[in-house]
Amino acid sequence: MDLNALRTANPDHWSKATAIRALTLDAIAAANSGHSGMPMGMADVATVLFEKHLKFDASAPSWPDRDRFILSAGHGSMLIYSLLHLTGNADITLEEIKNFRQSGAKTAGHPENFLASGIETTTGPLGQGISNAVGFAMAEEIQRAHYGKRVVDHYTYVIAGDGCLMEGVSQEAIGLAGRHELSKLIVFWDNNNITIDGTVDIADRTDQVRRFAASGWNVIEIDGHDPKAIDSAITQAKSSNKPSMIACKTHIALGHAAQDTSKGHGALTNPEQLLAAKEAYGWNHGPFEIPADVKSAWETIGSRGAEDHAAWKERFAQLSERKQGEFNRAYAFEAPKKLASAIRAFKKDTSETQPKLATRASSEKVLNVVNPIMTETVGGSADLTGSNNTKSADMGVFLPENRKGRYVHWGIREHGMAAAMNGMALHGGIRPYGGTFMCFTDYARPAMRLAALMKIPTVFVMTHDSIGLGEDGPTHQPVEHLAISRATPNTWVFRPADTVETAEAWELALTTSETPSVLSLTRQGLPTVRTEHKTKNLTAQGAYVLAEATGKRQAILIATGSEVEIAMQAKEALEAEGIGTRVVSMPCMELFAAQDESYRKRVLPAGPVRVGIEAAVREGGWDRWLLGERGREAKAGFIGMNSFGASAPANELYEKFGITVEATVAKVKDLLG
């Protein structure tokens, strides 16, 4: 690669791009850790994008109508940190660059959206960023249809590498984007032919250009170091009626001794080679030193969007006060005032009519109340709409010909659905939820984990939540999935016992601003156990006394979801024998743990024996509540699963695995001696 020819052909561009490369080398050398090659190879693409196309205002990085820039290849985090610092982002100072990958720094090893403004999403797990981007682009389309092009009209740009495209979730995302003709989505493929283990061809022979084209994308191939070709390709992509993939042929670790090698992917810290690379660039400056004229040129790029931002504010002000309020409320993740009263009225009616419903059907009833009020909700299902009950009557289907549709047919793409929903939430102004079977949290897990890490309120509707699924058998019967979900920090796992608890769970899921929720819902019908109307949201307490002992309290039965019915029947049988029994419904362990200790002790006092009942494995957080928080407050037992399920009708399975009233009564008696 003739660097001198590149430098002399476009000196202004070269100096700006070289600032990215130099900062990358210096920061990674100082940290003795990181990934140098991608930022060095994609600096030209990023420079052209930011200088000539990206609509952003460095002084207002959260402006709603900005273009979104997503670094899917998050290991190359010094690319985005360099861009943010150079353009004048207040969070990424030179000190932050110097503290790259150090404790307390905003410049973490991989970009984290909650640490600094200007970082749209947390990336690093490959394939997540490009999949989030599909959700960003869908959110833009939905909001543009709702508020108009004068208020919502922006692009989503992505830099993805070979690793992102090898991950299976990328195909789910690419297929979705092509089907929905997301023309405001533009992906730059860093085609450098290098992975950690060596050249790409040791593991893959996919023709990525044909792959994207086959999925309905506009594809452009360019030299990723030619600024004119980059500019022309972006212009062309913006005029397409399809999502665009720009295949950028680049050299990883451009200009370094490790160029075009797998070593170039990682941390390039050899001081002699670092100096040699800078010399090859014509960069005669010390570590972390950016010449004033170069920094000024970048800051001009960062301030260029201020005019667009001001013009947008004027256009936004022309919306009706109602529309402005709705827009601002949705972006703030604030629920409409009507939601609370609507939920209360629904609960009251349910307590009076006492329907017997599967909680998946209860959920649908709640959504029919919620969605017309909360118009920023966007629902969907991974090809299980009739089973997940996620579509309310007011929702049109999101399609190229109906951008006002708020229901997405995600197809058999659990991982892609979850990742795109995260993108919708991150975009702002949208409350996404989507459904599949509880067992397939396995397929959605990486994105569910990232929702928790990123502190976004994505709602995962997981139906068919136990052996109650029945005849489909153990492949589809979740036994460990509650435990996995509960083990994930910053996640609320709701397993409601009836329609009332389902409504309360939805209210909580739709009013939090930084916690994702998992709604674990049944296939089988459940009776209404909350027969006395309470205005208060009892599910918000995590656990509460559903039924008190009528005599001396000797036992406490703690149950969730479909097993609360069993607990109530066991209480009746035990009390018929003179054993005073309290029933505690525990729809959300995480919220119960968040209550003050005095409340927890009132619900679960020391003394009585305790039996937990749940059609899942005991490892799902149960021992804290069964044995007591100090591990010695009570004798305890558990009625649940210690194996996979089987294929049979649900009632037979409950008998087969001993999750019954009789087993519960026997367990209590055994503990009482």
Side-chain angles (χ1 to χ4, degrees):
M1 194 74 185
D2 188 346
L3 298 187
N4 188 55
L6 290 176
R7 185 169 68 247
T8 55
N10 298 281
D12 291 339
H13 164 85
W14 181 261
S15 65
K16 288 192 278 284
T18 301
I20 295 172
R21 297 183 175 108
L23 281 175
T24 294
L25 286 167
D26 291 338
I28 289 172
N32 197 32
S33 172
H35 299 82
S36 309
M38 192 283 281
M40 296 165 71
M42 286 297 282
D44 294 306
V45 171
T47 299
V48 173
L49 173 64
F50 271 65
E51 181 175 14
K52 297 185 179 296
H53 294 276
L54 193 74
K55 181 174 66 173
F56 76 110
D57 179 356
S59 68
S62 298
W63 161 36
D65 199 38
R66 68 194 180 279
D67 288 343
R68 272 64 168 177
F69 170 66
I70 295 170
L71 185 65
S72 189
H75 56 275
S77 56
M78 270 310 303
L79 178 66
I80 193 167
Y81 299 148
S82 297
L83 289 162
L84 292 174
H85 169 66
L86 290 167
T87 54
N89 180 286
D91 283 343
I92 306 298
T93 63
L94 189 59
E95 282 304 306
E96 291 288 351
I97 297 286
K98 290 179 178 178
N99 287 320
F100 176 60
R101 286 188 163 224
Q102 303 309 297
S103 177
K106 295 177 180 178
T107 46
H110 293 82
E112 296 177 16
N113 67 300
F114 49 87
L115 290 183
S117 60
I119 299 172
E120 301 288 358
T121 181
T122 295
T123 55
L126 295 175
Q128 290 295 320
I130 189 173
S131 305
N132 292 161
V134 172
F136 275 86
M138 292 172 79
E140 193 273 344
E141 293 281 1
I142 291 167
Q143 288 197 315
R144 179 152 41 91
H146 188 69
Y147 292 103
K149 188 174 181 179
R150 288 172 58 79
V151 175
V152 180
D153 185 22
H154 52 262
Y155 288 87
T156 300
Y157 295 97
V158 184
I159 287 180
D162 293 302
C164 290
L165 301 190
M166 280 193 223
E167 291 287 357
V169 69
S170 72
Q171 183 54 43
E172 297 184 24
I174 291 163
L176 278 165
R179 168 64 188 95
H180 290 294
E181 299 175 16
L182 301 177
S183 60
K184 309 283 274 189
L185 175 62
I186 298 174
V187 173
F188 301 96
W189 169 35
D190 179 19
N191 178 17
N192 60 39
N193 196 43
I194 295 294
T195 64
I196 292 174
D197 280 357
T199 55
V200 168
D201 58 16
I202 67 171
D204 192 40
R205 64 187 302 172
T206 303
D207 185 329
Q208 298 292 356
V209 168
R210 293 176 67 187
R211 173 194 179 198
F212 274 81
S215 299
W217 288 58
N218 169 47
V219 183
I220 307 163
E221 296 182 74
I222 61 167
D223 175 352
H225 299 296
D226 180 347
K228 291 182 180 178
I230 297 165
D231 182 24
S232 176
I234 298 172
T235 299
Q236 181 182 336
K238 287 161 74 174
S239 67
S240 175
N241 60 3
K242 299 178 179 180
S244 292
M245 188 273 266
I246 303 175
C248 307
K249 189 60 186 171
T250 61
H251 295 274
I252 198 168
L254 181 74
H256 192 277
Q259 177 181 311
D260 299 328
T261 69
S262 57
K263 180 176 172 54
H265 172 87
L268 303 178
T269 58
N270 180 286
E272 289 79 17
Q273 292 180 350
L274 188 154
L275 288 173
K278 286 187 175 182
E279 185 176 343
Y281 298 152
W283 189 262
N284 303 312
H285 309 287
F288 301 105
E289 183 182 342
I290 305 296
D293 62 329
V294 176
K295 185 65 164 75
S296 176
W298 269 112
E299 288 176 350
T300 297
I301 293 170
S303 63
R304 173 175 47 79
E307 186 176 333
D308 282 336
H309 185 191
W312 176 83
K313 285 182 176 178
E314 291 182 7
R315 295 194 301 274
F316 182 75
Q318 294 169 13
L319 288 178
S320 67
E321 286 189 18
R322 182 186 64 80
K323 281 263 187 177
Q324 289 184 50
E326 178 188 339
F327 184 95
N328 290 330
R329 177 188 59 73
Y331 265 85
F333 283 135
E334 294 174 359
K337 292 178 181 178
K338 291 181 180 178
L339 181 66
S341 59
I343 293 290
R344 284 196 300 270
F346 177 83
K347 286 167 52 179
K348 186 174 188 297
D349 180 71
T350 301
S351 294
E352 290 171 354
T353 57
Q354 300 179 21
K356 181 174 183 178
L357 291 172
T359 50
R360 61 171 177 156
S362 303
S363 175
E364 182 179 30
K365 285 185 173 293
V366 177
L367 290 172
N368 275 311
V369 170
V370 167
N371 284 335
I373 295 169
M374 206 165 183
T375 54
E376 66 270 28
T377 55
V378 172
S381 167
D383 200 52
L384 290 165
T385 296
S387 294
N388 298 148
N389 301 90
T390 41
K391 188 176 186 293
S392 62
D394 65 306
M395 285 181 149
V397 176
F398 177 80
L399 290 166
E401 56 272 22
N402 183 27
R403 295 309 198 193
K404 289 185 177 180
R406 293 162 51 209
Y407 191 81
V408 182
H409 289 293
W410 293 104
I412 305 90
R413 299 183 177 100
E414 295 86 358
H415 194 177
M417 173 182 74
M421 287 196 301
N422 285 348
M424 287 181 172
L426 289 160
H427 175 279
I430 297 288
R431 281 273 187 177
Y433 70 85
T436 185
F437 285 1
M438 184 76 184
C439 194
F440 302 138
T441 55
D442 285 343
Y443 289 178
R445 170 64 42 202
M448 294 173 73
R449 179 178 185 271
L450 281 171
L453 176 63
M454 293 190 287
K455 305 177 185 176
I456 51 174
T458 314
V459 182
F460 303 99
V461 183
M462 301 301 183
T463 69
H464 298 61
D465 73 339
S466 70
I467 58 170
L469 166 61
E471 292 86 347
D472 273 349
T475 59
H476 285 53
Q477 291 167 4
V479 295
E480 75 275 30
H481 300 75
L482 283 167
I484 294 168
S485 296
R486 287 171 180 156
T488 306
N490 188 41
T491 300
W492 290 343
V493 183
F494 294 102
R495 192 160 188 257
D498 67 0
T499 303
V500 174
E501 282 192 357
T502 303
E504 291 181 336
W506 266 112
E507 182 178 24
L508 294 163
L510 293 173
T511 53
T512 182
S513 61
E514 56 180 34
T515 302
S517 298
V518 178
L519 271 64
S520 177
L521 306 174
T522 68
R523 179 194 183 210
Q524 71 272 32
L526 304 181
T528 300
V529 295
R530 286 274 295 280
T531 55
E532 182 183 351
H533 173 61
K534 298 286 185 182
T535 299
K536 186 176 182 179
N537 187 322
L538 300 185
T539 299
Q541 299 171 132
Y544 60 93
V545 178
L546 176 64
E548 186 53 281
T550 55
K552 179 185 176 184
R553 188 191 310 124
Q554 298 179 63
I556 301 176
L557 305 180
I558 314 166
T560 76
S562 45
E563 286 68 70
V564 173
E565 176 187 10
I566 292 173
M568 292 293 282
Q569 293 175 7
K571 166 188 163 61
E572 186 178 343
L574 287 164
E575 294 209 331
E577 298 187 38
I579 300 171
T581 304
R582 168 184 282 187
V583 173
V584 171
S585 179
M586 189 175 279
C588 183
M589 290 186 180
E590 298 78 26
L591 286 174
F592 186 55
Q595 304 305 306
D596 60 59
E597 186 178 14
S598 63
Y599 175 76
R600 298 197 305 269
K601 284 185 174 181
R602 287 199 304 275
V603 174
L604 298 176
V609 300
R610 301 177 186 178
V611 174
I613 316 169
E614 185 171 73
V617 296
R618 179 169 177 165
E619 287 77 9
W622 275 101
D623 280 0
R624 177 177 179 182
W625 314 120
L626 293 177
L627 303 177
E629 298 191 51
R630 293 171 180 80
R632 58 179 184 274
E633 282 113 272
K635 289 183 178 180
F638 182 71
I639 303 293
M641 299 294 293
N642 56 19
S643 68
F644 292 108
S647 181
N651 60 334
E652 292 181 22
L653 291 173
Y654 272 79
E655 291 286 341
K656 174 182 176 68
F657 291 104
I659 306 174
T660 63
V661 172
E662 294 75 17
T664 304
V665 170
K667 180 69 72 175
V668 169
K669 288 182 175 180
D670 180 60
L671 291 168
L672 288 172

